[in-house]
Amino acid sequence: MSDLLAGAYLAKGTIGNVGTPGAPVASFSLVVVPSQHSVSGTVVITQAIQGPDSHIVVPVTGKIYATGFGKVIQVVSLKGQYVHSFPPPAIGSLLADFDAHLAVDNEWNGTGGFSYYGHNVENVPVKAVNQAELV
């Protein structure tokens, strides 16, 4: 049982064009277990424009695999669902899907994309949060 979490670590960062006005940005905080090829955690999607999609919290799970070539050391896929509520005058909510894909180096910097209800963001930077900034 002790080998189950062998090599587990925390990965934090962003997916998207940080600093671009109105651009959606997905911030991730993930527990990575390379020995199990598993990833789980939370993604928070923020957007400067006010509305139902300006702050979304998504619990996610996914897979991580080593590529074995070039600067892209690993590929990551994430999936999750969240409650999307319709703004007035509409009434109601639905369970919306979130998907993300990342091609990153060992420091979690690279390129990726994500999609969520009515939005598709592709070919954007993936940037790790410096662990010193977290203290």
Side-chain angles (χ1 to χ4, degrees), residues 46-124:
T46 55
Q47 193 169 6
I49 300 167
Q50 289 300 317
D53 294 334
S54 61
H55 185 85
I56 301 168
V57 178
V58 186
V60 295
T61 59
K63 296 287 184 183
I64 183 169
Y65 291 101
T67 63
F69 53 82
K71 290 184 179 182
V72 175
I73 303 298
Q74 50 203 5
V75 289
V76 181
S77 65
L78 300 172
K79 290 185 178 217
Q81 292 185 315
Y82 65 97
V83 176
H84 175 81
S85 297
F86 297 103
I91 298 174
S93 300
L94 61 82
L95 206 52
D97 292 326
F98 168 85
D99 291 291
H101 53 278
L102 316 174
V104 294
D105 61 17
N106 275 336
E107 284 77 42
W108 282 75
N109 295 306
T111 306
F114 59 99
S115 62
Y116 61 107
Y117 188 80
H119 302 276
N120 193 33
V121 179
E122 291 293 337
N123 198 27
V124 293

